Amino acid sequence: MAKNVISDETIDYVGILAKLELSEEEKERAKEDMANMLDYIDMLNELDTEGVEPMSHVFPVHNVFREDIVENGDDRENMLENAPDRKDGCYKVPKTVE
């Protein structure tokens, strides 16, 4: 049996926040699931984490961004080659606003 008990009011409140309409059976299942999650968190809180460095990822994640270097610069004519229609060196598109 779960140590943490979730009230009907808590489930109703979470349902409102999540914009969910739950049946009575779904509410009971959600209460049980939430209680199990809280029990698991309580169990994790009992672990000795002294000397363990906090981390945001289990695996080492390195910055994968590259420098923003322009490689194709001002290549307007090549970019416009596939344009269905163009005018004065720009893409010509149908008018969408009256």
Side-chain angles (χ1 to χ4, degrees):
M1 177 108 191
K3 292 188 299 183
N4 290 288
V5 177
I6 307 298
S7 68
D8 290 334
E9 292 80 22
T10 301
I11 288 296
D12 290 338
Y13 182 65
V14 170
I16 290 168
L17 291 177
K19 297 184 179 182
L20 297 174
E21 292 183 24
L22 302 173
S23 68
E24 288 305 315
E25 182 179 305
E26 290 170 325
K27 285 181 185 181
E28 288 304 314
R29 177 73 180 151
K31 283 172 37 177
E32 186 178 311
D33 287 345
M34 286 179 70
N36 289 336
M37 285 186 264
L38 292 174
D39 289 343
Y40 187 72
I41 291 169
D42 287 344
M43 185 176 67
L44 292 176
N45 285 334
E46 293 173 9
L47 295 174
D48 179 18
T49 57
E50 188 67 35
V52 176
E53 186 176 332
M55 61 182 166
S56 60
H57 299 285
V58 177
F59 301 106
V61 176
H62 303 287
N63 186 349
V64 294
F65 295 116
R66 62 173 170 75
E67 290 296 319
D68 189 12
I69 300 170
V70 177
E71 295 179 0
N72 59 351
D74 187 18
D75 198 10
R76 180 180 295 199
E77 284 309 310
N78 273 341
M79 288 187 274
L80 287 170
E81 279 182 12
N82 293 321
D85 199 7
R86 55 184 166 165
K87 179 180 177 182
D88 300 326
C90 297
Y91 293 96
K92 186 174 178 185
V93 297
K95 186 176 181 178
T96 58
V97 178
E98 293 296 323

